[in-house]
Each structure stands twice: as C-alpha cells, then as structure tokens.
Amino acid sequence: MKIIRSRDFTADRPWGALDIARMNGISMRLHWTDQPYRWHVNDGEEVFAVLAGRVEMRWRESGVEQRTVLETGDVFHATVGTEHVAHPIGEARVLVVEHEGSV
C-alpha cells in the first residue's frame, strides 16, 4: 500500500519520475518538470493527467501542429501513433500511464 502526495514530489531533473506501479506491462509514473519534453511517439497509447500546474500539450494531426493548455485535473490521451510533446508552464506534476519502457 502506498500513499503519494503528488504536490510534494520534486525530481532532481526535468521529467524525473517516481514509479508508482507496474501492472501487466503498463507503468504508472509521477513526473515532475519545469522544462519541455521532446517530440515523440509512444509504443502504444499514453494517458497523461495533469495533477498540479499547467501544461501546453502539442500534437500533430496530418502534419499540422495542434495545441491546447491542460489545467490541473485535465487528461490527454495519445492514441497509437500520435506524435506529441508537453511544454509545462512553470512547474508541473503529471501522471503518465503507458506501456513499460515506452519513450
């Protein structure tokens, strides 16, 4: 049993993570960041939930860049093949659920 207070978690580097659980090949990790990630495509689907802060999520559809600002409590679902990148606005804490070892 674990209780994790996401608001108290800070990593030693951007996108540093705390492993929460691994279940049947799916990982759940709490990330802290104050810097953008990089454009990528996951190995499967990804669920990205903003637990604290704000994140500008960018993705490409048919080669055209789209973007939206995710607020605390918002969830982004990257379907298979969705190229995307997260740009935090200040500090952010996010829960990422994806295949273990995905980018």
Side-chain angles (χ1 to χ4, degrees):
M1 208 271 317
K2 291 185 211 180
I3 295 176
I4 297 160
R5 308 251 185 239
S6 61
R7 69 181 169 270
D8 297 332
F9 175 66
T10 303
D12 59 356
R13 61 182 170 75
W15 295 102
L18 173 66
D19 290 329
I20 295 173
R22 287 189 164 93
M23 297 184 297
N24 298 320
I26 302 297
S27 69
M28 282 143 278
R29 304 178 82 205
L30 172 61
H31 291 268
W32 172 89
T33 192
D34 60 355
Q35 300 293 316
Y37 196 61
R38 59 182 171 82
W39 282 98
H40 67 285
V41 176
N42 291 82
D43 301 331
E45 297 175 272
E46 174 186 335
V47 173
F48 182 101
V50 179
L51 301 180
R54 300 172 72 217
V55 176
E56 182 182 70
M57 183 62 77
R58 301 175 188 179
W59 69 97
R60 293 188 179 127
E61 287 181 6
S62 302
V64 178
E65 187 174 314
Q66 309 289 322
R67 59 180 68 193
T68 193
V69 174
L70 301 173
E71 305 285 344
T72 297
D74 289 346
V75 176
F76 176 80
H77 174 224
T79 54
V80 173
T82 301
E83 186 178 16
H84 61 286
V85 62
H87 285 254
I89 302 167
E91 287 189 20
R93 289 162 179 86
V94 297
L95 180 68
V96 176
V97 180
E98 62 192 354
H99 285 283
E100 276 186 80
S102 188
V103 176

